[in-house]
Amino acid sequence: MKADDDDLLPVAGNGLLHRRLFLRGGAGLLGALALLEARPARADGPPDVPPWMKAPGEGMRPYGSRSRHEEHVSRLVGAMPGTTGAGSSRTPLEALEGIITPSALHFERHHAGVPDIDPARHKLLIHGLVERPLVFDVESLSRYPHVSRIRFLECSGNSAPNNAPEPPQQSAGALHGLVSCSEWTGVPLGLLLDETGVRPEARWVVAEGADAAAMSRSVPLQKAFDDALVALYQNGERLRPEQGYPMRLFLPGWEGNMSVKWLRRLKVTATPSMTKDETSKYTDLLPNGEALQFTFPMGVKSVITSPSGTMTMRGPGVYRVSGLAWSGAGRIRRVEVSADGGRTWAEAALDEPVLPKALCRFRIAWRWDGGPAVLQSRAIDETGAVQPTRSALLAERGPSYRYHYHAIQSWAVTPDGEVRNVYA
Ligand code: CO
């Protein structure tokens, strides 16, 4: 397909091109553009024979690992001062493609390190306001029906660096990498609650982890029956220790802290339990000194991962802009991209499948003319919720609110090609 001026007609200010470039039939056009802009070397004869074709390669390994040339792609680990096991590690969002986060790069947030749990000795107790308290182990859970769901997990503290008065000059992953997306497989929690028989006065269930912090959160019973899982597998294999081996609670779309890892106890109650992890932490302080408690769903959100903070542009030309969008309320309906700091917007193409409460990959072509630009993405979910600007979010919440930051990210592109975090 030949790229003519009509096809390249920008649809929004500062060079954003029509999303049909990424839809069916547009790939040829995009290829033509890439050829135009990338200017690959002209082939002038048969290929050479590289060293790896001259001798047989390595043997097979029982458990695989990535190429040694990719070892620079890693989580950004930040332990809290004076601890080794409390803190977080962030997914390098800018280095990844698609929507599935490799298990080895899934973000982590621990409060007392990663316990080394013997699965043969680990048990899950369900008790409290139930007819029959029951104890499950890995073996007994394995006999219940399993379901698999591709869902994001996001720490409610994600993106908090952007609360700072000056924009931190960091990568997309350093700023927003407390979100990841996996296929989680396990037993619907409602099945297990039905086995125990929930009493009529029950409204909540407190979940407790088997780490040294005994992480505990109160979960409305409705959520437990709605779409909660006791997950045993992540991306097809048993959970990693840092993701809760051998079993974790998984609450799609809700703040990550509630998906209690190393799950050992579910106590059914009439009221929330007011644990330390939902009173001193994970509450949202308002300007009047009151705090919001039990703010569970993660807001509609997106971030452009390419190009993004700390990257350098190769020079004027057509770029494939891409990023991630997600919402705790369900599916992403639409993502819009601006190259002029939010004055005009173009609709991005969404990669299929667009799943509820999962990361969604968006793409759009952008012809950068070498001048100053501010790239932004704005997600809209199936409930009609629109990702807010930073100033609107901060005005609504006041200066002390730290969690649930989900404002539009602005990346300024300077004429010399630097990509910088800015507050537009
Ligand atoms: Co919250």
Side-chain angles (χ1 to χ4, degrees):
M1 194 186 299
K2 192 172 156 296
D4 62 38
D5 279 359
D6 249 14
D7 290 315
L8 296 185
L9 201 65
V11 293
N14 217 0
L16 285 167
L17 306 180
H18 197 281
R19 70 192 170 98
R20 70 169 170 256
L21 287 167
F22 285 98
L23 303 178
R24 188 191 301 272
L29 198 73
L30 198 69
L33 267 177
L35 196 67
L36 200 72
E37 302 297 336
R39 296 189 188 85
R42 196 176 182 83
D44 59 358
D48 66 351
V49 179
W52 43 85
M53 290 184 72
K54 293 177 179 166
E58 293 295 318
M60 287 165 275
R61 290 168 293 185
Y63 195 87
S65 64
R66 62 188 168 173
S67 161
R68 63 191 171 89
H69 302 289
E70 297 299 323
E71 283 167 9
H72 58 282
V73 177
S74 57
R75 290 187 284 220
L76 193 74
V77 176
M80 285 174 180
T83 75
T84 51
S88 62
S89 69
R90 290 159 188 261
T91 297
L93 299 174
E94 67 283 355
L96 304 178
E97 253 298 346
I99 62 168
I100 300 293
T101 311
S103 300
L105 293 173
H106 194 288
F107 86 85
E108 301 166 81
R109 173 77 176 98
H110 311 308
H111 297 76
V114 180
D116 178 20
I117 295 180
D118 176 356
R121 293 175 55 197
H122 182 84
K123 293 183 177 2
L124 167 61
L125 167 66
I126 303 183
H127 68 147
L129 296 175
V130 298
E131 303 300 337
R132 293 168 298 281
L134 293 173
V135 175
F136 300 89
D137 59 13
V138 173
E139 169 59 24
S140 59
L141 284 182
S142 299
R143 292 162 189 267
Y144 282 88
H146 284 36
V147 297
S148 295
R149 303 278 184 261
I150 294 173
R151 297 290 182 261
F152 78 79
L153 186 69
E154 182 179 23
C155 178
S156 61
N158 196 21
S159 313
N162 273 350
N163 285 310
E166 295 299 321
Q169 294 311 318
Q170 292 178 323
S171 65
L175 292 169
H176 305 291
L178 294 178
V179 67
S180 305
C181 186
S182 293
E183 183 190 59
W184 301 95
T185 301
V187 183
L189 177 54
L191 276 182
L192 303 177
L193 291 171
D194 281 340
E195 290 282 89
T196 59
V198 169
R199 299 225 181 117
E201 65 272 30
R203 294 291 178 275
W204 291 77
V205 50
V206 59
E208 180 184 74
D211 58 336
M215 168 59 64
S216 303
R217 288 295 306 259
S218 302
V219 181
L221 199 59
Q222 184 59 50
K223 179 69 172 179
F225 278 103
D226 182 15
D227 60 357
L229 290 182
V230 175
L232 299 159
Y233 296 83
Q234 177 189 13
N235 295 330
E237 62 183 353
R238 291 284 186 185
L239 296 179
R240 300 257 163 145
E242 62 267 41
Q243 292 304 325
Y245 182 85
M247 60 182 71
R248 80 175 303 167
L249 185 60
F250 193 85
L251 303 177
W254 284 17
E255 55 188 18
N257 174 257
M258 303 183 69
S259 285
V260 173
K261 295 179 285 192
W262 316 294
L263 184 66
R264 73 185 292 264
R265 188 154 73 109
L266 291 166
K267 184 177 183 185
V268 179
T269 58
T271 57
S273 296
M274 304 297 176
T275 71
K276 67 186 188 305
D277 306 302
E278 59 201 15
T279 49
S280 77
K281 295 285 187 297
Y282 300 101
T283 58
D284 307 308
L285 190 57
L286 299 175
N288 67 3
E290 293 181 358
L292 298 177
Q293 198 179 9
F294 307 128
T295 50
F296 302 139
M298 298 307 291
V300 61
K301 188 165 176 180
S302 68
V303 59
I304 294 172
T305 54
S306 178
S308 59
T310 72
M311 289 183 181
T312 305
M313 310 284 283
R314 300 180 307 270
V318 174
Y319 284 82
R320 286 171 294 170
V321 172
S322 105
L324 296 165
W326 63 99
S327 169
R331 283 182 179 78
I332 290 298
R333 176 192 291 166
R334 179 182 167 96
V335 177
E336 298 166 338
V337 174
S338 176
D340 55 15
R343 286 197 315 118
T344 61
W345 297 89
E347 188 175 353
L350 307 183
D351 275 10
E352 294 290 342
V354 178
L355 301 167
K357 304 176 188 179
L359 293 186
C360 167
R361 174 68 60 177
F362 65 88
R363 303 174 193 280
I364 194 164
W366 175 47
R367 186 200 288 276
W368 181 46
D369 64 8
V374 175
L375 290 170
Q376 299 179 327
S377 61
R378 175 168 73 184
I380 297 128
D381 71 20
E382 66 182 333
T383 71
V386 181
Q387 186 180 6
T389 63
R390 181 176 181 277
S391 52
L393 186 75
L394 267 55
E396 180 192 312
R397 297 176 161 191
S400 302
Y401 201 116
R402 304 291 301 169
Y403 296 105
H404 294 278
Y405 183 101
H406 68 120
I408 290 171
Q409 169 67 50
S410 304
W411 301 120
V413 179
T414 65
D416 58 0
E418 252 190 281
V419 185
R420 298 182 59 80
N421 182 17
V422 292
Y423 297 156

